[in-house]
Amino acid sequence: FSDEFIWASSELYATTRDGQYKSAVNLFPDVGMPVPSWNQVRLLGYYTLARLKQPPADFQSVAEDLKRRILEKADGMVSHVGHHAYATVMGATPRDFVWGSSSVAANQGILLIQAFRLSGDKKYLNFALSNLDYLLGRNATGYSFLTGYGSKTPMHIHHRPSEADGVVEPVPGLLSGGPNPGMQDKCKYTSSIPDEAFTDDVCSYASNEIAINWNAPLVYLAGAIEALQFEAGYVKK
């Protein structure tokens, strides 16, 4: 639970400015900046610490270092996009395609949103949008992984209420797990290529499952892009 305690301590310190929370745990066990996932959430706390307004004098250098590390991570993520068939940040490596790969795309987008908020550089906002585009159909499967949105969207999600309600269409607005070459469910897949390893079948809990921990970052990403594009001047006020 060390990453959960790092996140909790970060939020409590940012809220109270009470030093006991800063020293309660080792906030920086290493120099890693792991994109948030179900089993690693410390970067969510780092986002908060990097954006502290008027940080205490003894924390200013830490906040600046976190800002630098977040921007370096973002720059590394976007460096390959020009060589990617779909021009998205998602898919730089086969390791992006895991159980719940849709959450990888959404959480990468959130990191890029934070890079934009820290730097004001619109390129990060544009790259975050590329991952929302990925989730909505700009990917090797051609699926919009969000039920009810797009011309090709999952109809047989691994979601018991959708399967049992007697309605053909699934509950709309749910994000499917996405390509997963692990194929742990042993269902029938048409491809084992990492970015194509997806099957729209209710049996596929490994690629077509619904879970809150990938729907939540999608909601953040979509809401942030809408709000920040307006703020950044992409939309006339």
Side-chain angles (χ1 to χ4, degrees):
F1 300 112
S2 60
D3 56 306
E4 279 88 356
F5 282 114
I6 289 172
W7 185 13
S9 296
S10 299
E11 300 294 351
L12 287 165
Y13 177 69
T15 300
T16 66
R17 306 299 173 98
D18 188 331
Q20 68 170 316
Y21 298 115
K22 183 179 63 173
S23 58
V25 300
N26 182 4
L27 289 176
F28 310 107
D30 53 53
V31 297
M33 299 294 282
V35 174
S37 63
W38 70 272
N39 65 346
Q40 181 53 259
V41 296
R42 64 173 167 158
L43 198 59
L44 300 175
Y46 292 174
Y47 294 156
T48 297
L49 294 176
R51 297 200 317 270
L52 276 181
K53 293 183 178 179
Q54 298 179 331
D58 64 347
F59 200 75
Q60 287 180 356
S61 62
V62 175
E64 286 300 314
D65 184 55
L66 277 176
K67 176 180 177 180
R68 176 187 59 78
R69 288 163 57 184
I70 290 170
L71 292 176
E72 285 181 353
K73 179 73 172 182
D75 287 337
M77 286 168 50
V78 305
S79 61
H80 75 285
V81 172
H83 306 288
H84 192 288
Y86 296 92
T88 62
V89 172
M90 176 64 179
T93 168
R95 292 191 299 273
D96 284 349
F97 298 100
V98 295
W99 197 324
S101 60
S102 291
S103 70
V104 175
N107 277 297
Q108 287 175 345
I110 290 175
L111 190 148
L112 292 164
I113 291 293
Q114 302 308 317
F116 168 72
R117 296 179 72 184
L118 290 169
S119 69
D121 190 333
K122 292 181 181 179
K123 75 176 183 181
Y124 297 117
L125 193 56
N126 290 331
F127 283 123
L129 180 60
S130 81
N131 270 23
L132 183 59
D133 289 342
Y134 165 88
L135 292 170
L136 296 179
R138 203 167 90 197
N139 59 65
T141 72
Y143 274 94
S144 165
F145 294 120
L146 188 63
T147 59
Y149 293 84
S151 59
K152 182 182 179 183
T153 183
M155 293 292 291
H156 308 289
I157 53 177
H158 187 81
H159 179 246
R160 287 163 178 77
S162 292
E163 181 68 9
D165 62 7
V167 178
V168 175
E169 293 80 9
V171 174
L174 298 178
L175 185 63
S176 171
N180 174 17
M183 298 184 284
Q184 293 89 344
D185 47 43
K186 309 303 181 184
C187 295
K188 184 178 180 180
Y189 288 69
T190 59
S191 175
S192 61
I193 297 172
D195 62 351
E196 298 176 2
F198 173 80
T199 185
D200 182 20
D201 193 318
V202 69
C203 81
S204 184
Y205 53 80
S207 78
N208 207 24
E209 184 183 18
I210 303 301
I212 192 170
N213 56 301
W214 43 82
N215 281 264
L218 168 69
V219 171
Y220 186 109
L221 176 62
I225 285 175
E226 180 179 22
L228 293 174
Q229 283 194 332
F230 185 94
E231 182 181 292
Y234 286 104
V235 181
K236 290 183 178 180
K237 297 182 179 180

